Amino acid sequence: MFSYIDWPLISAFVERWQPDTNSFHLPFGEMTIMLHDVFRILGISIDGDMVTDDSSADHLRTYVSELLAIDPHRLTVDNIWWHGGVAFNSIFIHYLRATPSRVLQTRLTRFLFMFLGGTLFCDKSGNMLRPRHLAEAREPGMMNEYSWGSAALAYLYRLLGVASRADGHQLSGCMKLLQAWIYEYFPVFLPQRERHAVPPDSPRAAMWSVRQESKDLSRLVSLHARLDRLTGREDLMGFVRYRDIIELYIPDRVVRQLGCAQPIPLPITRPDHAYRPSRSKDYAVPVFVRTITRFLSSRGIVSRRPSMIGVDT
């Protein structure tokens, strides 16, 4: 999908992202990517446990050596492990190699590692995978127990916030989700191609037939102008989480997106010690339990499932 990402279109929307509300500020109001969008567009579950494992670097290094069946000391020598990541080609080369006793599970784990690092949780390196995805992939039978949809959304929210800083030059995360979401809600930006015929229960992202679009500045300027002219024509509340990333999820501010009248939104419950300077590297949004409790109590919500923060309250 990388070659077919419409970067000028993505950039035009990123410039309108407001990390305090995790929404795009448009001429007619606010809109955002919601959990049901993730489920319909990508076809991945939004139910289940949060992805919270935060293994140490030493443990992750051990996981990688076990996965590739390579001595830990050889990881650095062979340039497989560097800057806290694993070269994508290394996983691909070792994909078909596995110990005879666990061929199927080992291959499946390697595939899941590549899938998570190469689709839902992409970073800016372009050729590396972060071993933190291994914590859940090491037990393939447990993969369906996690809410990968809310994790992918939390990760994208955070990276949109980072990219919105003055010196932000790149964006990562699940770009397929963001671009397909734009197509879903803004027909004026649809690719000028026929849609694919897909079964009703297939991910909606599979229906868009895209091509490589021009990336010149004039197109970005025209997209800016078109966004400025846009007019406007049940929900879950709380937080979405991916490991140490916890992002506010408040779709009560964007009910116009669902075809309803937009009331005056409730006040924002800001995270403790949020720090959003102009430099992207200093961007930090630590969220503590007291922030979450304050948010839920302000809306009269009592969480029935502590393992999910606001997702199924």
Side-chain angles (χ1 to χ4, degrees):
M1 185 65 186
F2 183 81
S3 299
Y4 299 96
I5 296 299
D6 190 343
W7 292 113
L9 179 61
I10 296 293
S11 297
F13 273 82
V14 170
E15 291 169 1
R16 292 175 174 271
W17 181 258
Q18 172 50 255
D20 284 327
T21 59
N22 279 337
S23 58
F24 297 102
H25 285 218
L26 302 167
F28 54 84
E30 300 175 46
M31 293 186 67
T32 194
I33 305 171
M34 301 172 71
L35 283 172
H36 74 264
D37 295 321
V38 180
F39 175 71
R40 292 299 180 187
I41 292 173
L42 297 182
I44 59 176
S45 177
I46 58 174
D47 296 320
D49 297 323
M50 291 182 296
V51 182
T52 59
D53 184 272
D54 194 17
S55 299
S56 67
D58 290 339
H59 284 138
L60 294 175
R61 190 183 181 93
T62 301
Y63 294 162
V64 172
S65 65
E66 292 175 356
L67 180 66
L68 301 181
I70 295 177
D71 185 276
H73 299 292
R74 299 293 306 174
L75 293 177
T76 304
V77 175
D78 296 339
N79 292 324
I80 295 174
W81 176 283
W82 49 291
H83 297 294
V86 182
F88 188 92
N89 287 342
S90 301
I91 304 295
F92 190 76
I93 290 171
H94 289 81
Y95 176 69
L96 295 178
R97 303 176 188 172
T99 56
S101 60
R102 301 184 67 192
V103 173
L104 181 59
Q105 178 156 343
T106 302
R107 288 183 181 174
L108 178 57
T109 301
R110 292 171 184 169
F111 169 77
L112 291 173
F113 183 29
M114 290 191 293
F115 170 74
L116 293 175
T119 56
L120 298 184
F121 308 111
C122 301
D123 62 17
K124 299 178 183 180
S125 67
N127 62 350
M128 293 174 60
L129 299 175
R130 299 300 172 185
R132 57 186 176 180
H133 309 310
L134 271 176
E136 287 76 26
R138 290 178 72 237
E139 298 294 337
M142 297 293 293
M143 292 295 286
N144 288 337
E145 300 296 322
Y146 295 102
S147 175
W148 292 108
S150 62
L153 186 59
Y155 189 71
L156 182 59
Y157 275 0
R158 175 58 56 85
L159 294 179
L160 281 167
V162 172
S164 69
R165 301 301 86 197
D167 64 343
H169 300 297
Q170 294 175 306
L171 174 65
S172 53
C174 189
M175 293 296 94
K176 193 179 189 73
L177 168 62
L178 177 55
Q179 186 161 317
W181 178 84
I182 295 172
Y183 291 161
E184 292 280 349
Y185 287 96
F186 301 91
V188 67
F189 299 123
L190 285 178
Q192 302 301 310
R193 299 171 67 88
E194 293 184 359
R195 301 183 188 181
H196 296 300
V198 297
D201 57 346
S202 295
R204 290 184 61 84
M207 70 188 296
W208 304 113
S209 177
V210 297
R211 63 184 179 186
Q212 291 183 323
E213 299 286 355
S214 169
K215 297 178 174 59
D216 59 50
L217 181 61
S218 61
R219 184 162 179 272
L220 177 60
V221 172
S222 67
L223 289 170
H224 284 164
R226 190 64 186 87
L227 271 173
D228 289 338
R229 297 196 306 271
L230 280 180
T231 57
R233 302 197 277 159
E234 57 194 10
D235 301 281
L236 300 173
M237 296 186 297
F239 294 79
V240 287
R241 177 172 181 174
Y242 174 61
R243 304 189 194 282
D244 62 332
I245 296 175
I246 302 176
E247 287 288 345
L248 190 63
Y249 182 73
I250 45 175
D252 58 317
R253 301 181 62 88
V254 291
V255 294
R256 186 190 297 273
Q257 179 174 335
L258 303 175
C260 304
Q262 175 67 61
I264 298 175
L266 293 171
I268 300 171
T269 300
R270 300 182 183 277
D272 297 298
H273 309 301
Y275 186 55
R276 299 191 177 94
S278 60
R279 285 177 50 82
S280 61
K281 290 184 179 180
D282 297 328
Y283 186 95
V285 190
V287 178
F288 303 107
V289 173
R290 59 178 176 270
T291 302
I292 299 169
T293 303
R294 187 166 68 249
F295 175 88
L296 296 177
S297 62
S298 69
R299 286 158 171 75
I301 300 171
V302 178
S303 177
R304 298 195 299 268
R305 186 179 179 189
S307 63
M308 293 294 290
I309 301 180
V311 171
D312 58 349
T313 55

